[in-house]
Amino acid sequence: MKVFLSVDMEGVAGIVDWAQCLAAGEDYALGRDLLVGEVNAAIDGAAAAGATQILVNDAHSVMRNLPPQRLGHRAAYLSGRFKPLYMMEGLDESFDAAVFLGYHAAIATPGVLSHTYNPRAIADVLINGVTTGEAGLNALVAQHFRVPVAVITGDQYVGPEADPFCPGVRHIQVKRSISRYSALNQHPDVARDLIREGVRVALKNLPSLAPPRILMPATIEVRFTSPDMAEQATWIQGVSRVDPVTVALTGDDPLRLHRCFITLVYLTRSLIESY
Ligand SMILES: [Zn+2]
């Protein structure tokens, strides 16, 4: 069994502030420690279910948040920036399941540290009219390679947000968001136990899980934080303006849709103001 772990950070138990999950933050060392604990719990759960190959794709910020030598079961580690498939880089049709670890709520939701790829550029994203976070966008890649998404971990919002795009995905809730900057967290040991056991059970039940089946052709709508970002987005072929701050793209190739969305993320970075 081959298992793919897409690892974000904001959804890890104990993490409630950017200071804990950005390299320049004064509490980043603590955040990394909490993160590697949950990643190893997922690795242990996958191994207990029979996984023989595990790939960890670091999908947070500059994407080198994990100390490779601390990863359990000799898991391979895909790290570093500018990956074409971003949070899903490394996935292909040879994998049996994907796990989304440490995920956070969509920008349109009051979950802790909520955002959708870029909080300073993107105000909302909808797939076929349904608001989605990163899980739904990443499900497009899983759909292309026909790999089921078995588990998502994070707060109380991430599971329900993933449901419309990741059929049968198992939710592991390790904290309850109170506001965008506070949460009631499980103790790290409890969170790790929940993840280890949840991943094991989900992967044991793999035959009952189907890959994502987002209806194609699909339409992705992206609402930006400023009209000039929406204008810039229309420079990409196939992207059309819906209103001053919103664009839409439609297509029947899930991988192409994902790539186009990622291009929007990279392109609009140039217009983000620093104050
Ligand atoms: Zn992140």
Side-chain angles (χ1 to χ4, degrees), residues 118-123 222-226 229 265 268-269 272:
N118 190 334
R120 296 163 89 183
I122 295 174
V222 182
R223 184 154 59 85
F224 290 102
T225 54
S226 75
M229 290 177 184
V265 170
T268 51
R269 269 184 196 169
I272 292 167

Side-chain angles (χ1 to χ4, degrees), residues 8-10 18 59-61 87 102 104 115 134:
D8 208 347
M9 196 164 180
E10 295 87 346
W18 299 116
H60 171 77
S61 186
M87 302 180 79
H104 50 79
H115 63 283
E134 294 169 0

Side-chain angles (χ1 to χ4, degrees), residues 85-102:
L85 294 179
Y86 218 108
M87 302 180 79
M88 298 300 278
E89 187 62 41
L91 189 72
D92 62 29
E93 54 284 318
S94 70
F95 283 86
D96 298 287
V99 170
F100 293 168
L101 186 127

Side-chain angles (χ1 to χ4, degrees), residues 151-191:
V151 170
I152 185 163
T153 81
D155 68 5
Q156 74 271 36
Y157 295 115
V158 295
E161 284 178 1
D163 280 339
F165 311 103
C166 306
V169 65
R170 187 180 188 90
H171 310 168
I172 302 176
Q173 189 186 322
V174 295
K175 59 185 171 189
R176 184 164 63 81
S177 290
I178 308 295
S179 74
R180 209 161 163 258
Y181 290 98
S182 64
L184 176 55
N185 301 281
Q186 297 281 5
H187 186 281
D189 290 343
V190 175

Side-chain angles (χ1 to χ4, degrees), residues 3 5 7 36-48 54 99 101 151 153 192 195-196 199-200 203:
V3 176
L5 259 62
V7 173
V36 74
E38 290 199 5
V39 170
N40 275 331
I43 289 172
D44 287 345
I54 298 165
V99 170
L101 186 127
V151 170
T153 81
R192 292 165 194 178
I195 290 170
R196 192 179 302 106
V199 168
R200 188 190 69 79
L203 295 180

Side-chain angles (χ1 to χ4, degrees), residues 220-222 224 230 233-234 239-242 245-249 264:
I220 301 180
E221 281 176 80
V222 182
F224 290 102
T234 63
V239 176
S240 59
R241 197 78 167 260
V242 174
V245 289
T246 310
V247 300
L249 51 138
L264 295 183

Side-chain angles (χ1 to χ4, degrees), residues 4-142:
F4 177 84
L5 259 62
S6 173
V7 173
D8 208 347
M9 196 164 180
E10 295 87 346
V12 167
I15 288 183
V16 294
D17 198 285
W18 299 116
Q20 297 169 300
C21 50
L22 293 177
E26 67 266 29
D27 251 351
Y28 178 61
L30 169 67
R32 286 182 108 177
D33 213 54
L34 294 169
L35 177 65
V36 74
E38 290 199 5
V39 170
N40 275 331
I43 289 172
D44 287 345
T52 49
Q53 289 184 60
I54 298 165
L55 174 60
V56 176
N57 177 35
D58 194 325
H60 171 77
S61 186
V62 292
M63 309 190 195
R64 47 179 168 79
N65 301 287
L66 292 162
Q69 77 282 1
R70 282 186 59 194
L71 293 177
H73 290 271
R74 301 190 170 199
Y77 182 40
L78 205 167
S79 62
R81 291 182 289 166
F82 303 126
K83 297 179 276 199
L85 294 179
Y86 218 108
M87 302 180 79
M88 298 300 278
E89 187 62 41
L91 189 72
D92 62 29
E93 54 284 318
S94 70
F95 283 86
D96 298 287
V99 170
F100 293 168
L101 186 127
Y103 272 43
H104 50 79
I107 183 71
T109 309
V112 77
L113 300 178
S114 70
H115 63 283
T116 305
Y117 272 87
N118 190 334
R120 296 163 89 183
I122 295 174
D124 199 9
V125 181
L126 297 90
I127 298 178
N128 292 338
V130 178
T131 286
T132 183
E134 294 169 0
L137 290 156
N138 295 340
L140 290 163
V141 180

